[in-house]
Amino acid sequence: MRTRRFRRSVRHPASALAALLLAAALALTGCSAGDDASGGSSSAADKRAEGKGVSGEAAPGGSGSGAKATAPPKLAASHIIRTASLTVRVEDVPKALDQARTGVENAGGYVGNETTTRDAEGHERTRVVLRVPVEKYDEVLAELEGSGKLLDRSAKAEDVTDQVVDVESRIKTQRASVARIRELMDQAGKLSDVVTLEGELSTRQADLEALLARQKSLKDRTGLATITLSLSETPVKKAAEDDDPGFVDALAGGWSAFVTMLRWLAVAFGAVLPFAAVAALIVWLWLRVVRPRLPRRPAPVPATTALGPLPTARPAPESTHPRHPGEGD
């Protein structure tokens, strides 16, 4: 039995060495246990003293209740998209626009789209989109409101913290997935496996790029607030005129009525002219083309009898001599 065990130990020196190390560790454990038993009272006293120093009344700054002071939890950063729309009436639109542009650039923002129009009366109107940092949003908004008479104001705040966190998590997962596909491509030995993995890698890379683009858009919208500013000029006030009409006013009114009447007559003539032209053409065709080709009616024949034609009644001749009063008929 001993010879067989000796041979096994010789054949497996690593197992023998492991057994020796295990025996040494058990011996050291027993010694330390004996030391702990001999000095158990002192270690327990030391632990009580340390406990008092941490949570007891003798510890400096202790509360006496044994509760450890903990730091306040950190709040998660919020991501909010801020947008506002302002309509302001000013005396001079170009001047107010320059001031707004200067204020936005000083705040670290920039001017986006800009549209300027002018109405029939010559009043200018400008619509401009401003992008300003969120930290300067309230300051710039108050400055723009005070540039003239505020006609309309609307503001909106949208919390997209959940979307930002979700996109960040999906980007992390997608990057790990892309890395795994690349590792599999390095280990692939067949051409068919390589082709399949390349297609999968292309799909996951496209998804990753889409997520990165969405993350960039959210970062831009949450980092910079959007203010849509509409500026319009104040109409020029005309001087108050005398309420009593004079000769010139009456003449101007009559001339205006006359011109209006002529205008309406011209409109009516223009409306009737096509119908009159068609009617004249029809009459001309009837007289020049159709009527000459129609058969003419024969002249009436006098009535006759067996004895001959009937005599026609002739009117009685009037007497040439004058009639005197009292004469018979």
Side-chain angles (χ1 to χ4, degrees):
M1 296 293 289
R2 293 180 181 178
T3 305
R4 292 180 181 176
R5 291 179 181 176
F6 176 76
R7 288 179 181 177
R8 291 179 182 176
S9 62
V10 172
R11 290 179 183 177
H12 303 282
S15 60
L17 180 61
L20 291 175
L21 293 175
L22 180 59
L26 291 175
L28 293 175
T29 304
C31 296
S32 61
D35 295 336
D36 293 337
S38 61
S41 58
S42 61
S43 61
D46 294 338
K47 289 181 180 180
R48 293 192 191 96
E50 290 177 1
K52 290 183 178 180
V54 173
S55 60
E57 297 179 355
S63 60
S65 61
K68 295 182 180 180
T70 57
K74 295 182 179 180
L75 298 177
S78 59
H79 301 271
I80 299 176
I81 299 176
R82 299 184 182 276
T83 57
S85 177
L86 297 177
T87 302
V88 183
R89 176 174 292 176
V90 296
E91 295 289 341
D92 190 356
V93 169
K95 182 178 179 181
L97 182 60
D98 292 339
Q99 293 177 356
R101 185 182 291 109
T102 302
V104 170
E105 292 176 355
N106 292 337
Y110 65 93
V111 178
N113 299 332
E114 179 180 343
T115 305
T116 301
T117 58
R118 189 180 296 272
D119 58 11
E121 299 179 359
H123 301 151
E124 189 173 348
R125 182 181 179 86
T126 298
R127 183 178 181 273
V128 62
V129 179
L130 308 175
R131 303 297 307 278
V132 296
V134 177
E135 298 79 9
K136 301 289 184 178
Y137 170 74
D138 295 331
E139 180 180 349
V140 174
L141 195 63
E143 182 179 353
L144 294 176
E145 290 178 359
S147 60
K149 182 179 180 181
L150 182 62
L151 300 180
D152 186 22
R153 179 184 185 275
S154 62
K156 181 181 178 181
E158 181 182 1
D159 190 356
V160 292
T161 305
D162 295 340
Q163 298 182 24
V164 172
V165 174
D166 179 65
V167 170
E168 291 178 354
S169 176
R170 293 174 63 184
I171 288 175
K172 185 177 179 180
T173 304
Q174 198 69 18
R175 282 176 175 170
S177 177
V178 171
R180 286 196 301 270
I181 294 296
R182 289 178 177 174
E183 291 178 359
L184 292 176
M185 288 182 63
D186 295 337
Q187 298 174 3
K190 296 182 180 180
L191 181 59
S192 59
D193 296 340
V194 173
V195 173
T196 304
L197 291 173
E198 283 183 352
E200 187 67 22
L201 178 62
S202 177
T203 302
R204 299 191 182 188
Q205 190 70 30
D207 295 340
L208 178 59
E209 292 178 357
L211 289 173
L212 291 174
R214 185 179 178 186
Q215 184 187 40
K216 183 179 179 181
S217 176
L218 288 173
K219 183 178 180 181
D220 177 73
R221 295 169 63 189
T222 55
L224 294 175
T226 303
I227 301 177
T228 303
L229 177 63
S230 298
L231 298 173
S232 61
E233 290 184 350
T234 303
V236 180
K237 296 181 180 180
K238 298 181 179 180
E241 299 179 356
D242 191 4
D243 296 336
D244 297 334
F247 174 76
V248 178
D249 297 332
L251 182 62
W255 177 256
S256 178
F258 177 72
V259 171
T260 303
M261 181 188 67
L262 291 179
R263 185 181 297 110
W264 281 108
L265 288 176
V267 171
F269 178 75
V272 175
L273 184 60
F275 300 97
V278 173
L281 179 61
I282 293 174
V283 172
W284 182 83
L285 291 175
W286 171 263
L287 295 176
R288 296 294 183 181
V289 179
V290 178
R291 187 175 181 182
R293 295 182 180 181
L294 294 177
R296 296 183 178 180
R297 295 180 180 179
V301 179
T304 58
T305 60
L307 300 177
L310 296 175
T312 59
R314 297 181 177 179
E318 296 181 355
S319 58
T320 57
H321 61 277
R323 298 178 65 181
H324 296 283
E327 294 183 355
D329 295 333

